[in-house]
Amino acid sequence: MNKKPIQDVDLISELPDPIIQHIMSSLPYKDAARMSILSKRFASAWTSSPTIIFDETLNMGSCLELTGKQRLNSFSELCGSDQQSNGGIENAISYAIENNVKELELDVVGKRSKLMAHYSLPMKVLSAHSIIVLSLKGFMLEPPQNLALDFPSIKELRLEKCKGMQKLSVSSQSLKIVVLEFCQGLEKVEIDAPNLESFSFGGGANSSCSVDVTACMSLEYLSLKNAEITDEWIKHEIPKFIRLEVFKVGRCRLLKNFHVSNANLKTLEISDCSNLQKIEIYSRSLNTFVYGGQLMPSRVFIYSPSFHAKVSLSVDDPLPHDWFSSLRDFLSCFDHCKELEIACSIEMALIFPIDSRDSLLPPLYDLKYLKVVGKFPAKSEDLVDLVDGLLWFSHCLTVLSFVSGNKEKSLKFEYDIAVAIDEDLQCCYSMPIKCWRHSLKKVTVENFDDRENTILQRFFSQKAIRLEAISREDNGSADAFSRGRSFSRLWFCDHWEYRRSGGCYHG
């Protein structure tokens, strides 16, 4: 039997058309076009591909220097139409609809919003019964109007940076996902979709749009930003979404007393709600709470057995005169959480004044895991002050981590709480809760550089009266482990030793 040399066998051309089309659809447009001229088989797959892409950036210079309307008109000419009617674009849309298009994505904005020019949307797009996924970006209705959509088959609807809609009503039994972002002039949204699983709304800074999704009882994900929602709406409507797992609220200025009760809620995020005074959450399933914005003037109540809290604080420079008292009261609300993450642009805002510590109880007595996100202190004394301040917040921490960019540095602590501590130190003699200096037994330092390690060794050796050891673990030791050897460094207050498997060295 004659066999072709292996280098002459074209295995890709032997694949079925749907697979070749899938490969070509995953390539950048220009690469797919080049591929189509390699063989008749590729050309056939290219012309019969179910995906059509019209991209004006592929015109390689003819309209890249233009902006706004000029650029859109230039693209219309490229499609074969006059500048006024944009017929070329409309012809392309008509062709797709006539051939029962299932996924239609129309974007006249692109990644650079400064080039945005709204395009008058052909109404036939909104009545195409074959569409399953519809994504419109940068389109407008002329004149502005109330829009009522009834899609029989659609599963996903995305409208972004579109204008001309005053009221949007959507009705569908099949709809699963709705995303509305920065639609200028929109005043009211009503969604009647009993099988809707995910709804996201994001209005502009001055948006006054009300949102009604009360008919969407299958919601699992709900995100509302710059929406006209009230305390009463959240209190009475959110409990009805029995499948809701993720609820996000941002920049909703009408909210003052945020009260939410939902047994299945797993993630709750609240950000930049400037008038918020109180947060009250009842959810036995909650595992993540995220807060971003100013310090709350009142308290946060979270009734959940175990959750992770992430707090991103907006900080003014200089700090307000009541910053630290407000910070202590705010953080005390998270004493019972499983792990607390604090993001703060000014590390000094987390260092509670020493002269005020003796008269106040620590806010995070029961907290075991604390993570601080921000810039690492540039000065060695600032690092020591920050660690000392955070250990005052929570004197029984198991892990204290610092995250900056992609770097994470950690301190791990072990304590001996069984020993007598009443007469050890005078630092907290009159306080019912003794500080970490009395019971700290061992510290493990991870991923700090040599200078920081030396600073931390000196600090803990001087401050902790029962310290037995400080060990160092770095990611850099991974190579040693892979060769069958493991290294660690231990400091015993005034001396240190290296230990290596199979032997040890003392210094």
Side-chain angles (χ1 to χ4, degrees), residues 402-442:
F402 301 92
V403 179
S404 179
N406 296 324
K407 297 181 179 179
E408 181 170 359
K409 306 179 181 183
S410 301
L411 296 168
K412 298 180 180 179
F413 306 102
E414 296 180 17
Y415 303 91
D416 185 356
I417 59 176
V419 297
I421 60 174
D422 289 342
E423 299 179 357
D424 288 340
L425 296 167
Q426 298 298 317
C427 59
C428 46
Y429 181 77
S430 61
M431 302 297 292
I433 299 174
K434 303 304 179 182
C435 70
W436 59 272
R437 298 176 61 190
H438 298 267
S439 55
L440 185 62
K441 181 181 179 180
K442 183 179 178 180

Side-chain angles (χ1 to χ4, degrees), residues 253-294:
R253 57 182 178 271
L254 296 183
L255 297 181
K256 294 182 179 179
N257 297 305
F258 185 95
H259 178 112
V260 64
S261 177
N262 188 301
N264 293 320
L265 194 63
K266 292 180 172 59
T267 299
L268 177 61
E269 296 186 12
I270 303 174
S271 61
D272 301 315
C273 296
S274 55
N275 295 315
L276 202 57
Q277 298 177 0
K278 185 178 181 180
I279 298 175
E280 201 166 0
I281 303 165
Y282 296 84
S283 177
R284 63 174 180 267
S285 301
L286 191 72
N287 54 40
T288 303
F289 172 74
V290 181
Y291 175 83
Q294 300 289 337

Side-chain angles (χ1 to χ4, degrees), residues 203-234:
N206 299 317
S207 173
S208 58
C209 182
S210 63
V211 175
D212 185 359
V213 290
T214 54
C216 308
M217 301 309 296
S218 297
L219 274 178
E220 298 175 4
Y221 178 96
L222 178 59
S223 177
L224 302 171
K225 296 181 179 179
N226 276 321
E228 294 284 293
I229 55 173
T230 64
D231 297 331
E232 292 299 312
W233 187 89
I234 289 179

Side-chain angles (χ1 to χ4, degrees), residues 41 49 109 165 297 336 423 464-465 480 507:
R41 185 71 191 286
S49 173
V109 177
M165 297 179 293
H336 63 297
E423 299 179 357
I465 64 173

Side-chain angles (χ1 to χ4, degrees), residues 123-134 136 147-157 159 168-175 178 192:
M123 295 304 294
K124 65 181 70 177
V125 172
L126 302 176
S127 59
H129 289 179
S130 63
I131 292 179
I132 295 177
V133 177
L134 178 60
L136 305 177
L147 189 62
L149 305 178
D150 186 0
F151 292 105
S153 304
I154 195 167
K155 293 184 178 180
E156 184 173 336
L157 174 65
L159 304 178
L168 174 64
S169 300
V170 180
S171 178
S172 174
Q173 294 290 322
S174 59
L175 195 58
V178 173
D192 183 1

